[in-house]
Amino acid sequence: MPQELSKIQKLQKIQHPAHLEIELFCKGLKIDGSCELEKDGRAFSRTRAGLGDGLEIILPAKEKDIWLNAPVFEEFVSKSPYLIFKENGEYKILDEINKITYPVKLPKTPSWYNKKTKRGIPMSQIGVLQGTYLGIYLGQTCKFWILENPVNCKFCTTGLNVGANEVEEKETEDVVEVAMEAKKENKITFVHFNSGWQSGKDLDIPISYIKALKKEVGVFVGLQAIPSKREEFKKYNYLKEAGVNHFSFCYEFHNPEYFSKICPGKEKYISQKAFFDALEYTSKLMGKGKVSGEIIAGIEPLEDTLRAIDYITSIGAFPTVCIFRPLIGSEMESFPSPSSEDMLKVFQHLYYSMRKNNIPMGIIPNIEVSLVVNPDDTKYLVPRDLNWYIYDLKLKFLKFFAKPYINKELKPKNN
Ligand code: SF4
């Protein structure tokens, strides 16, 4: 237990944990010697783009728990005023500046992380839980990393993880087996496939996995892949028929200069416009709230991030906003982590844009993404006026009427 604790005085009112979520994403979390994370917490896991390599924690809140993957290894964390410690068997976070403590829960490592598939592959190298959903990288290492002159995105570490911390080219039966285990043990409702650039095969690779999950497991399926050429947009229709419930597009930056500078491969081989075209096409195809534009906040000017949010919501999609994390090993590892004040503005703006455009959020149960501030966490960041309650009521109705659809999707088609 940290010594300062004996002097703690509650000097100010504790904020909603959604505020703390933003603070922790921006400033990180120091670990006190009293913690026994190997025994009590979820194993650290550096897979996919590398964002999930922090500590998975749950901030209990009255309406719903807030999940996040708190940065713990990056350099900026050493200056954080937040410290996690264990006292009488319970975990808490101390805000060393305001002398406030927050209760916190640690999710357990799923028991299937230590199992192998029938083919002998460690299950943790097939998929990982990121919050409450199962994340799986598909295909080979992103081709931007392995060209003679690599053009990978400068914030990313996928090229260091795929093939090292996770299996490259996963077999369908292994993916199904892992998803079944995660559904049985962790009650997952959502599997998210993502991939780096697969030089044109990006939309062909996922189809067999999606069909198998729908047939044998019964889960919602999301797909994040590099957009296809316009003349191949029909592939999105085939994927929808195969069972995709959600498409997402990581276009990262709204400002074209930042896009081209930080994502040179996407600029050279894909183009920012291709991302916009695919977003707009799939948003029409899928309907409101079933497509997301994924962006990174904290690198490009704040106004560009706000414009991105306005654009994405105006086409009926929802923004997935990732607070920039200067990952160890990435080209931007010494870049500063963003200010929590700016990030609060971003997520308040996200809430108001979602509300203005009547975008559904938080409809499917048990999807808590720990790598980002979930759109439905943002409602706790703004004052509650009449419009807040009206939107909230609409979402509750939608959730109620979506129940038969949700039950249908969660049933394996085999049954
Ligand atoms: S497209 Fe960019 S962010 Fe995605 S895996 Fe490749 S290098 Fe990383």
Side-chain angles (χ1 to χ4, degrees), residues 142 144-145 152-153 155-156 158 196 226 252 266:
C142 172
F144 294 146
W145 281 82
N152 55 283
C153 304
F155 51 81
C156 173
T158 293
I226 294 284
E252 323 293 6
K266 287 181 178 177

Side-chain angles (χ1 to χ4, degrees), residues 333-354:
E333 72 171 18
S334 49
F335 216 76
S337 180
S339 101
S340 52
E341 289 79 18
D342 280 356
M343 293 304 104
L344 178 59
K345 284 182 203 150
V346 165
F347 290 103
Q348 287 174 329
H349 188 78
L350 192 154
Y351 168 79
Y352 289 122
S353 292
M354 293 283 284

Side-chain angles (χ1 to χ4, degrees), residues 114-353:
N114 299 317
K115 291 186 187 168
K116 288 186 175 169
T117 65
K118 288 193 191 93
R119 294 185 332 109
I121 311 290
M123 289 192 171
S124 61
Q125 290 192 15
I126 300 289
V128 285
L129 286 187
Q130 296 185 318
T132 62
Y133 78 98
L134 181 65
I136 298 177
Y137 183 94
L138 286 185
Q140 299 176 335
T141 302
C142 172
K143 297 279 189 292
F144 294 146
W145 281 82
I146 52 176
L147 294 173
E148 204 180 326
N149 295 312
V151 282
N152 55 283
C153 304
K154 297 188 191 303
F155 51 81
C156 173
T157 62
T158 293
L160 311 175
N161 305 328
V162 177
N165 299 333
E166 60 183 297
V167 178
E168 199 174 33
E169 301 221 58
K170 289 140 187 138
E171 294 291 330
T172 313
E173 55 191 284
D174 290 333
V175 167
V176 167
E177 231 180 292
V178 170
M180 274 179 165
E181 285 287 326
K183 189 172 179 188
K184 197 166 72 183
E185 182 177 328
N186 310 102
K187 313 274 178 293
I188 59 153
T189 56
F190 183 57
V191 175
H192 188 240
F193 290 120
N194 79 320
S195 188
W197 186 42
Q198 303 295 323
S199 46
K201 292 198 222 103
D202 304 74
L203 299 186
D204 304 323
I205 294 168
I207 205 145
S208 59
Y209 298 94
I210 292 159
K211 283 185 177 165
L213 286 188
K214 288 290 171 177
K215 201 168 144 205
E216 295 176 49
V217 187
V219 275
F220 283 82
V221 176
L223 174 65
Q224 179 263 302
I226 294 284
S228 74
K229 293 185 193 135
R230 183 167 261 288
E231 55 272 26
E232 292 179 352
F233 273 8
K234 273 276 172 253
K235 286 185 181 175
Y236 290 113
N237 297 56
Y238 305 145
L239 285 162
K240 184 186 175 198
E241 280 160 29
V244 168
N245 303 97
H246 163 74
F247 288 107
S248 52
F249 298 92
C250 296
Y251 80 89
E252 323 293 6
F253 304 105
H254 206 70
N255 184 314
E257 279 175 33
Y258 281 77
F259 179 85
S260 71
K261 203 168 61 188
I262 301 176
C263 309
K266 287 181 178 177
E267 167 74 9
K268 186 168 175 191
Y269 294 96
I270 315 298
S271 87
Q272 195 187 35
K273 185 174 181 307
F275 279 88
F276 293 149
D277 290 346
L279 258 168
E280 288 165 29
Y281 181 86
T282 52
S283 187
K284 266 197 202 122
L285 175 72
M286 303 295 287
K288 240 182 196 185
K290 292 185 175 170
V291 169
S292 75
E294 300 200 15
I295 53 168
I296 299 176
I299 299 175
E300 66 181 342
L302 184 64
E303 309 78 63
D304 291 313
T305 304
L306 302 187
R307 280 199 299 129
I309 290 170
D310 290 339
Y311 162 70
I312 294 166
T313 51
S314 74
I315 60 165
F318 67 91
T320 301
V321 183
C322 184
I323 294 178
F324 170 63
R325 187 182 302 195
L327 290 171
I328 295 169
S330 73
E331 290 177 50
M332 294 180 77
E333 72 171 18
S334 49
F335 216 76
S337 180
S339 101
S340 52
E341 289 79 18
D342 280 356
M343 293 304 104
L344 178 59
K345 284 182 203 150
V346 165
F347 290 103
Q348 287 174 329
H349 188 78
L350 192 154
Y351 168 79
Y352 289 122
S353 292

Side-chain angles (χ1 to χ4, degrees), residues 15 25 34 37 42 44 70 103 153 156-157 170 248 250 278 287 306 364 374 404 412:
Q15 305 189 85
F25 271 130
S34 56
L37 300 180
R42 192 178 275 180
F44 294 105
C153 304
C156 173
T157 62
K170 289 140 187 138
S248 52
C250 296
L306 302 187
I364 313 300
N374 289 273

